[in-house]
Amino acid sequence: EADIYQTPRYLVIGTGKKITLECSQTMGHDKMYWYQQDPGMELHLIHYSYGVNSTEKGDLSSESTVSRIRTEHFPLTLESARPSHTSQYLCASSVRDRDQETQYFGPGTRLLVL
Amino acid sequence: DAKTTQPTSMDCAEGRAANLPCNHSTISGNEYVYWYRQIHSQGPQYIIHGLKNNETNEMASLIITEDRKSSTLILPHATLRDTAVYYCIVSFSGGYNKLIFGAGTRLAVHP
């Protein structure tokens, strides 16, 4: 099972601030993902990466950006936070198992923008 | 990716088996059935996956019908800690493992 770490776990910040949500994994997984989940709602994929220097946008449009300079890190950045960005952000990485990729999730970051 | 249909909620008595159904009538031949669960807004947890044969691991069993149009996740002896939202997802990796999470089934295990 993968070890996925996310920091901070909780963040309260004012409108207009730049924030970076950290995600790291120690298993050397090539593929990593960011999901967004509003309370009581479904998860939506917002970014993914096949490996170093690879990033793609997911199914849900997001004003956030991501980078993948190192295999183990996949940070997500919001240049100017707004109340509409208030949500939970979940990071995941995947490992291949019998021709399928199984995703393992971190604990999430709960973001509140005032 | 094929769409899945799950009941909105289910109840189960502690110690009894929890059988969670999922319909995926449009599944294609190269798509797997995955089950994840999410406990109280924590990160989703992988449970099990399968293609056409029944599967079992330390957490659960997955029974897939012969026509692959439906499946059942079985938690053999449910505990209070199994209370969670359970997601049935059909996915083909093809490039990246695209998981489309629906609303899932809210399983409540009671004493």
Side-chain angles (χ1 to χ4, degrees):
Chain A
E1 186 166 329
D3 292 322
I4 308 290
Y5 306 97
Q6 291 187 243
T7 58
R9 293 291 309 277
Y10 304 91
L11 179 62
V12 181
I13 201 163
T15 297
K17 299 292 186 181
K18 177 180 179 179
I19 60 171
T20 296
L21 308 184
E22 299 289 347
C23 175
S24 61
Q25 49 95 6
T26 60
M27 299 301 288
H29 292 172
D30 287 332
K31 294 179 182 176
M32 296 188 73
Y33 313 80
W34 276 103
Y35 292 82
Q36 184 175 343
Q37 184 179 33
D38 292 335
M41 304 298 286
E42 302 167 10
L43 287 84
H44 294 284
L45 180 69
I46 53 175
H47 298 284
Y48 62 97
S49 168
Y50 290 122
V52 172
N53 294 324
S54 156
T55 62
E56 302 286 344
K57 289 190 178 297
D59 300 321
L60 180 68
S61 176
S62 174
E63 294 171 345
S64 60
T65 60
V66 292
S67 62
R68 191 85 184 278
I69 299 173
R70 292 162 55 185
T71 298
E72 60 270 27
H73 290 156
F74 191 39
L76 180 145
T77 298
L78 279 164
E79 289 293 332
S80 179
R82 295 206 301 268
S84 61
H85 297 141
T86 294
S87 189
Q88 178 170 233
Y89 294 84
L90 291 153
C91 179
S93 69
S94 63
V95 62
R96 181 158 287 274
D97 173 25
R98 293 180 293 157
D99 297 326
Q100 288 293 295
E101 300 275 344
T102 301
Q103 291 190 19
Y104 296 94
F105 286 78
T109 294
R110 290 183 180 272
L111 173 65
L112 172 61
V113 183
L114 302 174
Chain B
D1 295 305
K3 182 178 174 60
T4 63
T5 304
Q6 299 177 253
T8 302
S9 62
M10 293 182 64
D11 289 313
C12 179
E14 189 176 20
R16 305 296 295 269
N19 298 298
L20 290 87
C22 179
N23 287 322
H24 32 79
S25 59
T26 61
I27 192 171
S28 60
N30 53 11
E31 289 182 314
Y32 281 66
V33 180
Y34 284 83
W35 283 84
Y36 284 77
R37 72 180 182 184
Q38 189 173 26
I39 298 173
H40 192 55
S41 296
Q42 297 175 18
Q45 177 188 23
Y46 165 78
I47 302 173
I48 198 167
H49 75 278
L51 182 62
K52 56 183 178 181
N53 297 320
N54 297 338
E55 301 286 345
T56 296
N57 62 20
E58 65 278 6
M59 290 183 67
S61 294
L62 173 61
I63 308 299
I64 302 174
T65 58
E66 191 169 343
D67 63 7
R68 301 209 324 123
K69 293 184 177 182
S70 65
S71 61
T72 301
L73 178 75
I74 301 173
L75 307 178
H77 304 287
T79 69
L80 299 178
R81 288 179 294 180
D82 291 322
T83 293
V85 178
Y86 287 78
Y87 299 99
C88 169
I89 301 166
V90 171
S91 178
F92 165 63
S93 66
Y96 73 98
N97 183 215
K98 184 175 182 178
L99 300 181
I100 299 176
F101 286 81
T105 296
R106 289 188 176 275
L107 175 68
V109 181
H110 50 83

